Amino acid sequence: MASLRLALRSLGASRLYNRPFVRWCIPSSKVRAFSTKLSPPSKAVVYEQHGPPDQVTKVIDLPPVELGANDVCVKMLAAPINPSDINRIEGVYPVRPQVPAIGGYEGVGEVHALGSAVNSLSVGDWVIPSPPSFGTWQTYIVKEESIWHKINKNVPMEYAATVTVNPLTALLMLEDFVKLNSGESIVQNGATSIVGQCIIQLAKIQGIRSINIIRDRAGSEEAKEKLKRLGADEVYTESQLEVKNVKSLLGDLPEPLLGLNCVGGNAASLVLKFLRQGGTMVTYGGMSKKPITVSTSSFIFKDLSLRGFWLQKWMSSEKAKDCREMIDYILSLVQSGKLKYEMELVPFNDFSVALGRALGKLGSHPKQVIKF
């Protein structure tokens, strides 16, 4: 604890208080005795160095933060543990905050206090950081007004906390790469993931049919039924697709124009086999940690295109308006019961348990969402 506080003090005001995304601690010299607006003290999950998340993270107390005229203090309600959060702590993600840092990248909170010049929000509003930003695993956050996007308070807390990363990724990939018309089809691997579940449901809403590939493992038949209840047209395990001509399995489904890959290796090759002439495969993850291998004939004779998608690169201040409109649309689908996925709310006091589940050390669990 002493070493962390020393490290924080050594960073100084310009490094922490003025950092555009993570304003989670300020030196005592910045907390003036005559200040009228201070955040409450906060508890936060911090890490001083990169490494295994269950070894380098700790929960500490942080002092109050002074609110500037354009600042908003938000009491966090919930925030998920995403794979990208784990990768940032490990130090293997392309973009990560400087250490010492607070974990978390998305979440939802309630406005607790306002700076004197803030006029777009009111105390009690529910807000999310949009675009998302570092440091959501803490009880109180102070950020500028422009960071926060007001949402409907009637949305279930866990969906509001998780809307920005997984569902938005699914919607963007369906809309940004090829023009899909009602009646056409897509193919994807990793279909049991939250992105995969969202793709199935969003495609169904647009009249697009889906072919879904899952891993061979215990409970695969139950997983198939679950995905079909969400609207999947076909669900296959990888071993079922080890046939000479996978397209013979399509039946009345049209050959897919778009394929989505989050696994890599053989699972990516299976997606490519389904694609029709001129099709596109978009890769947004590599869970198998194996490369994508493409046959020469796929390029020459099928003219397939391989693309990549990274949400953080897509989101920018120029696209903030579009991003927020899409988030509102997704949350409206949640409210109407047209979009759902499984999550598990865990009290902040049990963060270590939630982290262990997210790391896969305690068996298979739904996405872990911390409730503050």
Side-chain angles (χ1 to χ4, degrees):
M1 180 69 73
S3 62
L4 178 61
R5 293 190 183 282
L6 181 62
L8 296 181
R9 283 196 293 269
S10 70
L11 290 174
S14 62
R15 178 101 171 259
L16 286 172
Y17 183 69
N18 295 321
R19 189 183 296 176
F21 295 115
V22 188
R23 298 182 52 191
W24 51 273
C25 180
I26 58 173
S28 58
S29 60
K30 284 284 182 178
V31 184
R32 296 188 292 271
F34 54 82
S35 173
T36 58
K37 286 288 181 75
L38 288 176
S39 74
S42 183
K43 287 186 177 293
V45 178
V46 304
Y47 53 102
E48 298 179 67
Q49 61 186 19
H50 297 297
D54 54 347
Q55 297 180 27
V56 300
T57 58
K58 63 179 75 173
V59 178
I60 69 165
D61 295 314
L62 295 176
V65 174
E66 182 181 359
L67 275 70
N70 296 309
D71 287 339
V72 178
C73 175
V74 172
K75 179 184 185 299
M76 290 302 292
L77 299 173
I81 303 178
N82 289 317
S84 55
D85 296 321
I86 292 171
N87 292 156
R88 287 186 182 93
I89 297 171
E90 291 171 333
V92 299
Y93 201 72
V95 175
R96 54 189 181 270
Q98 295 177 331
V99 292
I102 291 178
Y105 189 59
E106 65 173 335
V108 63
E110 182 178 76
V111 174
H112 176 79
L114 303 168
S116 59
V118 176
N119 52 34
S120 67
L121 296 170
S122 301
V123 171
D125 286 345
W126 277 24
V127 292
I128 62 173
S130 177
S133 56
F134 305 126
T136 57
W137 293 351
Q138 59 180 317
T139 51
Y140 289 91
I141 302 180
V142 174
K143 293 180 186 288
E144 291 184 1
E145 178 183 13
S146 61
I147 295 294
W148 299 107
H149 174 51
K150 180 180 175 180
I151 63 168
N152 193 317
K153 295 176 69 171
N154 294 324
V155 177
M157 181 191 305
E158 61 270 31
Y159 282 95
T162 58
V163 64
T164 308
V165 173
N166 293 154
L168 187 58
T169 291
L171 184 58
L172 286 167
M173 290 194 299
L174 283 174
E175 296 189 349
D176 273 18
F177 290 93
V178 299
K179 179 175 175 53
L180 294 167
N181 299 310
S182 179
E184 291 186 315
S185 67
I186 62 169
V187 58
Q188 67 165 337
N189 57 34
T192 57
S193 68
I194 288 185
V195 173
Q197 294 176 54
C198 289
I199 286 168
I200 290 169
Q201 295 168 88
L202 292 170
K204 182 181 179 181
I205 291 169
Q206 298 177 25
I208 298 164
R209 306 178 75 178
S210 65
I211 302 150
N212 302 274
I213 305 169
I214 64 175
R215 291 182 295 170
D216 289 274
R217 61 180 178 181
S220 59
E221 290 304 315
E222 291 81 0
K224 286 182 183 181
E225 291 304 315
K226 180 178 178 180
L227 295 181
K228 287 185 177 180
R229 286 195 296 271
L230 292 178
D233 290 278
E234 296 291 345
V235 185
Y236 300 104
T237 61
E238 292 180 19
S239 63
Q240 286 181 294
L241 300 179
E242 297 299 334
V243 296
K244 188 173 183 180
N245 181 15
V246 296
K247 292 184 179 180
S248 64
L249 302 174
L250 286 175
D252 65 341
L253 290 175
E255 293 182 21
L257 180 62
L258 175 66
L260 303 170
N261 164 53
C262 67
V263 181
N266 181 61
S269 299
L270 293 174
V271 169
L272 290 169
K273 287 181 180 180
F274 273 106
L275 292 178
R276 76 189 195 204
Q277 179 82 19
T280 296
M281 183 174 79
V282 179
T283 293
Y284 65 100
M287 291 189 294
S288 71
K289 298 183 179 179
K290 295 180 180 179
I292 298 168
T293 303
V294 188
S295 67
T296 302
S297 62
S298 294
F299 282 127
I300 296 176
F301 303 116
K302 293 183 67 177
D303 191 26
L304 298 183
S305 299
L306 303 186
R307 302 286 302 277
F309 176 82
W310 184 27
L311 180 66
Q312 187 159 327
K313 184 177 180 180
W314 184 90
M315 291 187 298
S316 63
S317 57
E318 292 78 18
K319 294 187 177 182
K321 184 175 184 293
D322 292 340
C323 177
R324 293 179 177 188
E325 288 177 353
M326 296 178 86
I327 285 171
D328 290 341
Y329 168 68
I330 292 169
L331 291 177
S332 73
L333 296 178
V334 170
Q335 283 187 274
S336 64
K338 294 180 180 179
L339 184 68
K340 56 186 176 182
Y341 43 88
E342 191 177 359
M343 293 166 283
E344 189 171 12
L345 280 166
V346 181
F348 184 41
N349 289 340
D350 295 329
F351 174 79
S352 61
V353 175
L355 182 59
R357 291 171 180 167
L359 293 170
K361 295 188 174 184
L362 300 173
S364 178
H365 287 271
K367 179 177 286 294
Q368 299 293 290
V369 180
I370 306 163
K371 182 180 179 181
F372 296 94

